Amino acid sequence: MNERTIELIDIAPKEFWGAHDTHLDIIKKYYPKLKIVARGTTLKAYGDPEVLDEFENRFNRLMLHFTRYNRIDDNVIERVLESNTQDEQRMPDHDKILVHGIGGKIIKAMTPNQHLLVEKVYKNDMVFAVGPAGTGKTYTGVAMAVKALKEKQVKRIILTRPAVEAGENLGFLPGDMKEKLDPYMQPLYDALRDMLPPQTLEDYILKGIIQIAPLAFMRGRTLDNAFVILDEAQNTTHSQMKMFLTRMGKNAKFMITGDPGQVDLPRRTISGLKEALLVLKDIEGIGIIYLDDKDIVRHRLVKKVIDAYKQIENTD
């Protein structure tokens, strides 16, 4: 009797095998001639070579489906195991889809400028995405980072922000360093939770495949084989921005997002983002995209709020 061993790579076993191993039971039903044993992330199958070859091929397609869509269910399993083609892997306009989020939610660029942002990231290793709140800068960036990780274009995702907020100081917040910093990083966690299953996200963070850290923690590092996003970049100083941009290593994508209209730095401190946009605008390989009110994809009132504040600011 021959043996075949298959490992679940970057797949949470509880989510793949199903509650009480219901998904595994369906798989076993389709291959009664094989003895199939699953423990954690390892599956072993015993039987004739020809049956094992077919089983491994279709099981790999199941793993591909889960990696791409973040889910499988009874219908998906049956379709993959019964099909003689790989039609189940194809979707219309697949190139326009960035990732499939939790529950198979399709995440893609929603506005012309967001589409342009995606194109800029494909064509350039460093991209500045600038615009007001709600225009999808960070969300689109995180989706592209997750896509790059899933497609093995990079080995890790690094998300960072300057720990600067109006009227607050880390030293006065309760808790240890992680507890002090987590509120600043929450928007990045929120985006990731939309795109990766909870156990997968937790595993990635524990293994350092996904790193979320304040900008100060980037000092002295060389960031290779990574998709790196600097969020809220309007709150960087000249030295912080220069430090961050020079961390870029081999096979790295850098994305810098921010809203120059929401600077929380002390008065008379020049925003590193505003300065960088002027200094770097003519360098080949660096893309700059400006999003505006038409790209706001939050609640319809957000655009009205921004317009109202613009009127006040323009009269000052």
Side-chain angles (χ1 to χ4, degrees):
M1 184 176 289
N2 290 270
E3 175 184 327
R4 199 70 51 88
T5 301
I6 304 173
E7 290 288 338
L8 301 182
I9 306 298
D10 295 333
I11 293 175
K14 287 183 180 179
E15 295 164 7
F16 190 83
W17 301 131
H20 307 294
D21 290 341
T22 52
H23 295 163
L24 181 61
D25 291 339
I26 296 173
I27 294 170
K28 289 180 177 179
K29 182 186 72 174
Y30 274 87
Y31 288 92
K33 294 183 179 180
L34 297 180
K35 180 183 178 183
I36 299 172
V37 179
R39 288 189 176 90
T41 60
T42 302
L43 179 141
K44 290 189 176 182
Y46 305 86
D48 294 335
E50 290 183 5
V51 182
L52 286 171
D53 287 344
E54 178 192 326
F55 170 76
E56 185 173 16
N57 175 269
R58 297 193 183 194
F59 191 82
N60 284 336
R61 283 156 58 185
L62 271 180
M63 290 194 295
L64 177 62
H65 189 286
F66 187 92
T67 300
R68 180 174 291 168
Y69 303 118
N70 284 322
R71 66 186 292 269
I72 56 172
D73 55 29
D74 297 1
N75 292 331
V76 167
I77 295 170
E78 291 173 0
R79 186 172 71 244
V80 172
L81 296 183
E82 291 175 357
S83 174
N84 291 320
T85 69
Q86 295 190 16
D87 288 343
E88 74 280 351
Q89 296 177 12
R90 303 190 188 104
M91 282 196 65
D93 297 328
H94 183 72
D95 289 342
K96 297 179 182 178
I97 297 171
L98 297 178
V99 292
H100 287 80
I102 299 303
K105 174 185 176 183
I106 291 175
I107 297 173
K108 60 182 180 179
M110 302 294 290
T111 70
N113 278 334
Q114 287 180 10
H115 280 287
L116 185 57
L117 170 57
V118 171
E119 290 176 11
K120 292 268 188 188
V121 173
Y122 283 142
K123 293 177 181 177
N124 300 276
D125 286 338
M126 183 180 292
V127 173
F128 288 80
V130 183
T135 51
K137 308 179 297 295
T138 302
Y139 199 80
T140 303
V142 171
M144 295 202 71
V146 171
K147 177 181 173 69
L149 183 65
K150 285 189 171 189
E151 295 178 354
K152 302 190 185 306
Q153 297 169 11
V154 298
K155 294 181 179 179
R156 54 187 174 154
I157 295 172
I158 298 173
L159 309 176
T160 185
R161 306 176 101 193
V164 176
E165 296 294 337
E168 295 186 19
N169 186 303
L170 282 176
F172 292 100
L173 295 176
D176 59 20
M177 182 57 70
K178 183 179 183 302
E179 291 169 331
K180 290 174 186 287
L181 293 170
D182 273 355
Y184 294 90
M185 306 298 157
Q186 200 59 49
L188 302 174
Y189 283 110
D190 290 344
L192 287 168
R193 289 189 185 107
D194 266 5
M195 301 173 199
L196 292 169
Q199 188 61 54
T200 301
L201 176 57
E202 184 178 336
D203 290 345
Y204 279 169
I205 292 174
L206 285 174
K207 294 175 182 176
I209 295 171
I210 293 180
Q211 302 172 24
I212 305 175
L215 182 58
F217 285 28
M218 298 298 110
R219 191 173 299 278
R221 300 182 64 183
T222 299
L223 306 177
D224 295 321
N225 300 306
F227 197 116
V228 187
I229 300 176
L230 170 57
D231 194 33
E232 298 290 333
Q234 74 275 4
N235 287 328
T236 60
T237 63
H238 161 86
S239 59
Q240 286 175 325
M241 178 62 78
K242 182 181 177 183
M243 177 274 292
F244 172 76
L245 296 179
T246 54
R247 299 306 92 201
M248 194 173 199
K250 297 177 181 177
N251 189 40
K253 285 276 188 184
F254 269 39
M255 185 170 171
I256 301 95
T257 71
D259 177 6
Q262 291 189 339
V263 176
D264 296 317
L265 294 169
R267 294 184 65 182
R268 297 193 179 92
T269 301
I270 297 174
S271 166
L273 175 62
K274 292 182 178 180
E275 182 182 54
L277 292 171
L278 293 173
V279 173
L280 306 177
K281 61 183 175 62
D282 295 324
I283 295 182
E284 186 177 351
I286 297 179
I288 299 176
I289 174 72
Y290 291 91
L291 297 97
D292 56 35
D293 299 358
K294 295 188 291 295
D295 299 298
I296 292 175
V297 291
R298 291 181 182 171
H299 193 285
R300 59 185 177 82
L301 286 177
V302 173
K303 182 179 183 303
K304 294 182 179 181
V305 168
I306 291 174
D307 288 341
Y309 273 94
K310 272 187 176 179
Q311 292 180 17
I312 295 174
E313 290 161 359
N314 290 336
T315 59
D316 288 347

